[in-house]
Amino acid sequence: MTEGKGLFLGVAVTEYDDAGWQPLAAAAQRVVALKELLEGQGYRAEIVSSPSRADLVEELRSRRAMRDEGFQGPAVLVWTGHAEVLDDALSLIVRDTPSNGAKSDFAYRAGGLVSFLADAGSTDSVVILDTCASGKADAELFLKHFAELEGSTWAGQHPSFACIVSCKSRERAEDGAFLGELIDLLANGPGDLDLGIHAVAWGAGCDSVPLSSLFPAIAKRKRNGPHPRTWLAGSSDISFPNPNFDPEAGAALVSDRVREVQGKAPLAETLVETPAATHLIARSAEGNPGLYALTAGPGFGKSSCLSYLAAHSEGEVLLLQAGLGVEALAARVAGLPVTTTVALDSLDEASGRERSRIVALAAGWALTRFVVVASRTESAFDEAGRSAAAELIGRASKVIDLEDADWQGDALSRYLVDRLSRIDDERE
């Protein structure tokens, strides 16, 4: 098995045998920076520097043993260097490609990178191309990858493929400029970009940023140069460290996490007693183990209900955000006395592949302690969200549906109207 959490392979072609190609310096430095970033995440990380075509083919083929050892990903493949559109496809220029004449005989077709990913066994991959005209390759990469997955995956697998290209097919890339922009984003966060719900993943409560929240930040950054594109199919486990993560950060409402990333103070919290909150406090006080599901669509006060439970319960309540991920959640609960109630908010904001695992984790806790998990009845994100909510409901000792008026009370309705009106006032 490949050591570490996954594989990072950076191919940096910055030196050429033919003087007709301009050497690149900054690009190689940026690939090294990404390598170090993912090594910190536990990835096995390697760089292939300025290979010839033969060297490159052999280097890629050498990864085939990974599949036999059971490797399935995640895999992050970065290519930077010169590229041209040849025979209506993007061709990646390697060290021994001539600058004139039969370039196609020596260049490496970008779509061929899919064969490497398939040979390595990865079913969760992202390809990052920082070259001129890189936008010419994204369609071919996806079509070839989907064709490969059609014959190599089976029922029960959830393959994912993502692609980032640094510019459109008719644009020229600058030496390492896009990779530098990506590294700056991963080092400093999105700042005041309006990312909507995706801002939650950049808040202090999450230790990593999934591709689904990284991609909107890439797309919305203002730029004068080339225009990058991002694509994601499936629910990927690939993520990058969140520069804003604070392990001491307490629980927060989703809307306040968004404000936090935008540099705004949280709205003054008003905790409201509702029939649902009162019921949860009473059941928590009894100390009987069990899994409670707190469900509803967005805006029905699931987070507020859990906050009220944590603030007014006589016993200890640990309020956690599902976006922390399975490993961090397990670590936070490990060793706590069984008298501690665990309240887990926002199941639908965990990564797609982790939601079912989090439900199983919560069900395990519930064998010895009182546990309540909040989830949207139907997720706005994908099928993985809906199936996780259904699994939670199926395993729960009791389901409290806040869309049922008997569980809300007039107080919660007044609170929600007040909170939403204050948010609207700020926007105006």
Side-chain angles (χ1 to χ4, degrees), residues 306 309-310 317-321 341-345 370-374:
L306 293 186
L309 166 67
V317 177
L318 178 63
L319 180 53
L320 298 171
Q321 299 292 320
T341 290
V342 175
L344 184 59
D345 196 12
F370 183 81
V371 179
V372 56
V373 180

Side-chain angles (χ1 to χ4, degrees), residues 7 12 31 39 137 168 189 192 294 382 388 391 402:
L7 172 68
V31 174
E39 280 180 326
K168 295 181 179 181
D192 60 357
L294 185 66
D382 54 32
E391 183 179 353
L402 291 181

